[in-house]
């Protein structure tokens, strides 16, 4: 992390309550494409915020 990334995290904390250290799962990842994958996973989704935490609400997924 550099200073710019920390500034972004602090802004997200102020706006959404994202924990700067990632406590509560803020830094979970989802890989949908990469050199180890034969095809990209295309997702249709929305975001759901519940107070200080959020999630992706995936409504459809398909291989491209």
């Amino acid at each position: 992390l550099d200073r710019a990334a920390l500034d972004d995290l602090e802004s997200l904390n102020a706006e959404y309550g994202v924990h700067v250290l990632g406590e509560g799962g803020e830094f979970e990842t989802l890989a949908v494409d990469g050199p180890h994958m034969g095809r990209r996973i295309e997702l249709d989704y929305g975001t759901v915020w519940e107070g200080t935490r959020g999630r992706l609400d995936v409504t459809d997924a398909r291989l491209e």
Side-chain angles (χ1 to χ4, degrees), residues 1 6 8-9 12 14-15 23 33 35-36 56-57 63:
L1 294 175
L6 183 56
D8 288 343
L9 289 170
L12 289 168
E15 187 171 351
E23 295 298 322
D33 195 12
H36 65 292
L56 292 181
D57 185 13
L63 293 173

Side-chain angles (χ1 to χ4, degrees), residues 11-43:
S11 294
L12 289 168
N13 175 264
E15 187 171 351
Y16 299 110
V18 171
H19 196 281
V20 174
L21 298 177
E23 295 298 322
E26 287 88 349
F27 299 155
E28 302 298 332
T29 60
L30 172 65
V32 296
D33 195 12
H36 65 292
M37 300 171 75
R39 293 189 283 174
R40 174 181 164 72
I41 302 170
E42 186 68 30
L43 300 175

Side-chain angles (χ1 to χ4, degrees), residues 5-7 9 13 15 22 25-26 31 34 37 40 47-50 52-53 55 59-60:
L6 183 56
D7 290 343
L9 289 170
N13 175 264
E15 187 171 351
E26 287 88 349
M37 300 171 75
R40 174 181 164 72
T47 55
V48 178
W49 284 101
E50 298 169 340
T52 61
R53 51 189 251 175
R55 68 177 190 276
T59 57
D60 193 26

